[in-house]
Amino acid sequence: MAKHIGILTAGGDSPGLNAAIRAVGKAAERSFAMNVIGFRDGFRGLVENRTVRLNGSALSGILTIGGTILGTSRDKPHRMPMGGQELDMTEVIIANYHKHNLDALVCLGGGGTMKNAYHLMQHGLNIITLPKTIDNDVAMTDVTFGFDTALGIATEAVDRLHSTAHSHHRIIVLEVMGHNAGWLALGAGLAGGADVILIPEIPYDVHSVADAILQRSQGGKGFSIVVVSEGALSKDAAARLAELEAARAAAESKKERKAIKAQIEAFRLEQLNNTMRLTRQLEELTRLESRLTILGHLQRGGTPSAVDRLLATRLGTAAAELIEQEVYGVMVAARGEGAEPVPLEQVAGKRRVVPLDHPWIRSARLIGVNLGD
Ligand code: F6P
């Protein structure tokens, strides 16, 4: 009997999603004679039964296109905003999965999607996930698709900022995305030759950064490029956050945990202006004119790099093969040159941050990049 599979994309979009949809769909249809449908806008499309048939013509011409032809959302199956309130829509999703006679559901996403997919797996659905995010922070995979494209864009930004920083003898701070992982900032900073790189994994001391810049200026380099990950925190802020997290872990009642969670969220909101604050502090401490560039969603848009197209195609076709073999409850991880299924329980709720002994960190230190510590 021909299998029926569904595909959805959830979380923030990332380059390579369409390449992955195309790979799953084409391999499923052409090599295994499966019927493939897509759900629109992440898990919401599964709740609202908004589908699109992913046949040959729908899958044609999408390899090089950015974003996702299916649309996406950050809606969670068990806490979905519906008519002004958040509802648990798990049962509706299960009913719609069966209504479409699905043998498997392929969820393309990052850390949040892994958790949501795991939740559905625990409710009996046959799930396979693919790791996508420009943040590169999904556990148990060498890399995620979207990262290479974003890395290229952020590196080009560092390259371009060099000439204007140099001409004006300025400090230019570049904020890049990455959520609470420093892969993008570290990679782009290193590839672009930044003088300072600040990442969430290494809390920074603004005086150490200012000293490094002053030393450059005394050595005749009147400009500096500082690449900052959006999640980077000063040592004080990181200590405060660690205190709050410890209090949350030790909280005895649900009410207390909820109150501390609200404090953590408020604290994180305050940190949103962190790079602007840092830019001003550096100007004050060094007396060098400083400017801030926030790269933002430019990093997520546009056509995927060749590396991301290849990765998405490798993982997407492997997903179709796994469904054919009825291997479910797994994420298709990139491992070396290949693709391997990893049980979802080893992925959900985990995040892969930059290890402090990572070769990129070592190289950065060896060439004299200031990492803020
Ligand atoms: O997870 C990808 C990401 O781009 C993060 O780097 C960033 O923090 C977040 O999404 C931004 O999300 P949104 O597009 O919903 O503002």
Side-chain angles (χ1 to χ4, degrees), residues 5-293:
I5 68 170
I7 305 180
L8 62 81
T9 53
D13 70 339
S14 96
L17 275 171
N18 289 326
I21 294 168
R22 170 181 177 271
V24 178
K26 283 200 170 188
E29 196 182 37
R30 294 192 179 192
S31 294
F32 306 117
M34 296 176 193
N35 297 299
V36 189
I37 58 168
F39 292 95
R40 296 202 184 270
D41 302 333
F43 294 100
R44 181 168 287 277
L46 199 46
V47 168
E48 295 172 355
N49 231 336
R50 286 187 287 120
T51 60
V52 50
R53 180 86 215 283
L54 291 178
N55 54 13
S57 66
L59 295 170
S60 165
I62 64 170
L63 174 64
T64 61
I65 299 173
T68 158
I69 55 161
L70 293 176
T72 185
S73 74
R74 293 194 186 275
D75 290 318
K76 302 177 176 65
H78 56 292
R79 267 193 6 231
M80 192 163 296
M82 300 293 293
Q85 40 180 338
E86 276 191 347
L87 298 179
D88 184 347
M89 302 306 284
T90 308
E91 291 305 322
V92 177
I93 287 178
I94 294 171
N96 283 337
Y97 174 96
H98 291 301
K99 191 165 155 188
H100 288 286
N101 285 320
L102 294 185
D103 293 285
L105 176 68
V106 188
C107 304
L108 281 55
T113 305
M114 298 301 152
K115 269 202 238 172
N116 293 326
Y118 182 52
H119 168 83
L120 295 180
M121 178 199 117
Q122 286 177 311
H123 282 78
L125 304 193
N126 292 332
I127 302 284
I128 288 213
T129 66
L130 297 185
K132 72 89 220 204
T133 164
I134 64 162
D135 302 341
N136 199 29
D137 62 349
V138 175
M140 305 298 290
T141 179
D142 289 356
V143 68
T144 58
F145 56 86
F147 175 64
D148 181 75
T149 309
L151 182 63
I153 295 166
T155 302
E156 191 190 338
V158 180
D159 291 350
R160 288 181 180 275
L161 290 173
H162 262 95
S163 61
T164 174
H166 177 264
S167 305
H168 284 268
H169 319 292
R170 281 173 172 162
I171 298 172
I172 295 196
V173 176
L174 172 68
E175 180 189 300
V176 300
M177 281 186 169
H179 199 217
N180 293 321
W183 294 106
L184 257 187
L186 184 61
L190 207 49
D195 309 295
V196 178
I197 303 173
L198 305 178
I199 59 175
E201 294 82 350
I202 306 178
Y204 65 85
D205 174 354
V206 70
H207 295 281
S208 151
V209 177
D211 285 351
I213 291 173
L214 282 174
Q215 265 181 34
R216 271 177 60 78
S217 143
Q218 281 149 15
K221 297 269 176 68
F223 76 96
S224 288
I225 303 287
V226 180
V227 176
V228 187
S229 176
E230 62 180 351
L233 294 174
S234 68
K235 288 191 174 177
D236 289 348
R240 174 75 187 127
L241 190 62
E243 251 174 47
L244 287 169
E245 296 286 8
R248 177 160 71 162
E252 281 173 4
S253 66
K254 201 172 168 192
K255 194 173 161 203
E256 203 185 335
R257 246 191 318 278
K258 209 172 158 194
I260 302 172
K261 190 174 171 223
Q263 282 183 47
I264 294 176
E265 276 162 15
F267 182 80
R268 286 226 177 258
L269 261 185
E270 262 173 49
Q271 299 304 314
L272 283 183
N273 289 324
N274 204 17
T275 35
M276 179 45 91
R277 208 164 26 236
L278 173 72
T279 309
R280 287 220 192 93
Q281 284 173 320
L282 289 178
E283 187 163 87
E284 275 164 29
L285 289 169
T286 63
R287 304 202 169 278
L288 292 168
E289 217 181 358
S290 305
R291 293 287 187 271
L292 169 64
T293 297

